Amino acid sequence: MKNTYTGSIKVEFEKWPSLIPEKLKTDVGGPLESIRGASARRIFNLERDWEIRIETLDDSYDEDVSGTIVIPKLYSKNSNPPTETRFDGASVPFPWLFSFLSFGVLRPLGVMLIASVVHDFAFEYGGLLYCDDVGISELRKIRRDVVDKLFYDIIKTLNNMPFTGLLAWLAVRLGWFWVPYGDKRYGGKFPSLAVTFLVLVLLILGVLIKNYGIFSLISGFAVGYLLIFLLLKLTTPSAKRAD
């Protein structure tokens, strides 16, 4: 039975991707090294090949991303021996910080899971592996900004969370400055919209610090964060165990 979702794009897949976590290296020495090891992002491998079908419903894409995408368990890069396909959750920079600031919305393995699997593979190989009707797979090179848009549209369509998708999109677009795409930096279009948003946020913070002082701003943020956290906690329905 296929899982089918329709929104800004159409998304179909039969099974959820089966991921195997790699062991975190935490026995690394002193307290600082231990904290660094414990806060490292979790890396996952695919247990088996996974397929997802994407169909664009309008002309908002200037590259062809429609078709059946295969995320293989093993893949060969540049004629090298096949290696395991690894995922770290959309390559979001400083995932622990983004998760904290967004109240867990931008957890790499939260609602972004499906989009992250597609996004991470594209970042590793500079495109996506498409399978035709007779089962022949071919790597289709796709621009970085197009893959970032697809990442946003999958979250928006699959989870019906456009605001979450927008936050995630801003995070990965800002990674343009330091996260390689297909072993190359600065690929695709310059992230002008994400940079503009960041500059506006920094300007607003600068004005608030100038008017109220950094201590008052930090105190206000802490109080506001606590209130929102409590509100989310109180309004979250308790999970019931199925019989």
Side-chain angles (χ1 to χ4, degrees), residues 15-32:
K15 297 180 180 179
W16 291 78
S18 181
L19 303 179
I20 301 174
E22 292 186 2
K23 181 180 179 181
L24 290 175
K25 187 177 180 181
T26 55
D27 185 16
V28 290
L32 184 59

Side-chain angles (χ1 to χ4, degrees), residues 15 21-22 50 62 85 100 103 132 167 174 208 225 236:
K15 297 180 180 179
E22 292 186 2
W50 180 68
D62 56 3
T85 304
F100 170 77
F103 300 93
D132 61 20
L167 289 179
L174 289 173
L208 291 175
Y225 189 96
T236 300

Side-chain angles (χ1 to χ4, degrees), residues 5-11 55 57-58 153 156-158 160:
Y5 306 86
T6 303
S8 52
I9 59 175
K10 185 176 180 181
V11 179
E55 292 183 26
L57 303 177
D58 53 38
D153 279 331
K156 179 181 175 182
T157 299
L158 187 66
N160 194 24

Side-chain angles (χ1 to χ4, degrees), residues 41 88 90-95 97-98 123 144 148 168-187 190-191 194-195 198 202:
R41 69 179 68 194
D88 65 1
S91 300
V92 173
F94 310 109
L97 178 61
F98 276 91
F123 262 61
R144 176 180 189 145
D148 287 341
W169 177 83
L170 287 170
V172 296
R173 289 303 289 148
L174 289 173
W176 183 88
F177 293 96
W178 58 85
V179 180
Y181 179 78
D183 292 332
K184 296 180 181 179
R185 299 180 66 184
Y186 314 125
F190 180 78
V195 171
L198 179 61
L202 293 176

Side-chain angles (χ1 to χ4, degrees), residues 119-202:
H119 194 259
D120 276 10
F121 183 87
F123 262 61
E124 179 67 24
Y125 298 103
L128 292 168
L129 194 64
Y130 285 81
C131 180
D132 61 20
D133 294 337
V134 295
I136 299 177
S137 300
E138 180 181 3
L139 185 70
R140 188 182 302 172
K141 294 293 184 179
I142 302 175
R143 267 198 343 261
R144 176 180 189 145
D145 55 287
V146 176
V147 168
D148 287 341
K149 174 175 168 51
L150 182 61
F151 175 68
Y152 162 74
D153 279 331
I154 292 175
I155 296 173
K156 179 181 175 182
T157 299
L158 187 66
N159 306 106
N160 194 24
M161 293 181 173
F163 181 70
T164 298
L166 179 60
L167 289 179
W169 177 83
L170 287 170
V172 296
R173 289 303 289 148
L174 289 173
W176 183 88
F177 293 96
W178 58 85
V179 180
Y181 179 78
D183 292 332
K184 296 180 181 179
R185 299 180 66 184
Y186 314 125
K189 295 180 180 179
F190 180 78
S192 54
L193 185 58
V195 171
T196 301
F197 174 81
L198 179 61
V199 170
L200 287 175
V201 170
L202 293 176

